[in-house]
Amino acid sequence: MKLLVLGLNHKTAPVDIRERLAFGPDIIAGALRDLTGCDGVLEGVILSTCNRTELYCAIEDGAEETLRHWLSGFHGIEHERVDPFLYAHADRSAVVHLLRVSSGLDSLVLGEPQILGQVKTAYQTANDCSATGKLLGRLFQHTFSVSKTVRTETAIGANPVSVAFAAVNLARQIFSDLSKQTALLIGAGETIELAARHLHNNGIGRIIVANRTVERAHDLAAQFEGFAISLTEIANHLPEADIVIASTASPLPVLGKGTVERALKKRKHRPIFMVDIAVPRDIEPEVGELSDVYLYTVDDLKSVIDESLRSRQAAAVQAEEIIDFHSGEFMAWLRSLDAAGLIQDYRQRSEELRDEVLARAQRQLDAGKSPTEVLNFLAHTLTNKLLHAPSSRLRQAARDGDAVILDAANELFQLAPDRLQSNS
């Protein structure tokens, strides 16, 4: 069994590719069933965020190509269109990758904390769908523990640096005084909640929260003295908005060019600052063509984010050291599974030999031989049978000069090396 990660992220693929390969919450369960139904795929977890889509799988040898074609085929995209953007990590490299992702070292924003919650949700969803087993179960539990260690033992999470923070920081650069501005937040998830908190802390004049579930929008808006609307009411309130930040799980845009054009006319073409954090995108890309709109996507925020990352670089080095150590721990556990199987097979074979010799000894007792004679036969015969295969292999290793086998035998049987060589 082999551990494999296959995916793409903000470093390898542009947003238009990432959004086409995203797995929304409404399709994730069906996708997991389809994934683990593929030949050679034994376990699977799908992680899909605005910055990445990744498959974490336990597979049989040769199943990597199956995964590559499944990912593109599930979304109805030509394999050749997707494959150049994909990366793959196997075994220890896969473990290191997941630990880096969960610790925020592979994020657009170094050390951002939201990704760990997203990884936990991805694993829980796969677990609920019976898509995980012993290997991925152990891997993800190990990951959650190591990520906690990274957070507590380094300063990787120091200073507020996140996509939401970057969006608000950019808004502050555009509007020097946020107290006179109105912000329309589309969505009610963790990123939007962070954006609302940063806006509130920076003295935003007014907050409007739009969400598919109005009750959830009310709960969020109430925390920041804002008010809530449904997604269908966005067009009526958009002319009031100076700042728009969108992050929903909608598979299609919730804000189109025509709606924005009509809002701009009512605003007498006062500009609107927009940030689309969602993947797939919530705001039609064509909106960015309008002269009075400043539209940014998650990819555009990178330069803003880079300015806030200086203090986290040293912490990242510490985090890498922790990850390197703990990835080795996991691989040691994984290797122990192979040893456990080998030990079980060897024990079963030894018991078969024991039963065979014991039956022969019992027949000799039944035939009237003395117990002493039968015990000597039992001990001699069983010892010969148990040692026959290892002895033959050691003699062959000595003839071939195979020092690896000889040294391993020395360690295993605690023999003196010179005795092992001379007896061969």
Side-chain angles (χ1 to χ4, degrees), residues 48-61:
S48 186
T49 73
C50 59
N51 286 326
R52 70 184 64 249
T53 291
E54 294 178 335
L55 310 179
Y56 291 83
C57 297
I59 64 171
E60 296 173 348
D61 286 340

Side-chain angles (χ1 to χ4, degrees), residues 153-229:
E153 295 188 7
T154 75
I156 194 68
N159 302 324
V161 183
S162 66
V163 173
F165 176 80
V168 174
N169 196 41
L170 192 56
R172 286 177 57 206
Q173 294 177 31
I174 294 174
F175 303 100
S176 56
D177 184 5
L178 292 184
S179 66
K180 299 177 182 179
Q181 313 305 321
T182 293
L184 170 61
L185 307 181
I186 304 176
E190 188 174 4
T191 299
I192 289 296
E193 183 175 350
L194 274 173
R197 193 173 306 281
H198 288 311
L199 286 166
H200 184 72
N201 291 342
N202 282 278
I204 190 69
R206 189 161 161 255
I207 290 178
I208 304 170
V209 180
N211 194 51
R212 193 176 307 280
T213 306
V214 180
E215 291 79 7
R216 173 69 183 121
H218 275 298
D219 292 341
L220 180 57
Q223 299 179 46
F224 306 103
E225 303 172 5
F227 72 98
I229 62 174

Side-chain angles (χ1 to χ4, degrees), residues 14 49 104 124 126 149 164-165 183 220 252-253 281 295 358 399 405:
T49 73
Q124 188 59 56
T149 299
F165 176 80
L220 180 57
L252 298 171
R281 283 173 283 190
L295 174 61
L358 187 60
R399 284 194 294 269
I405 293 293

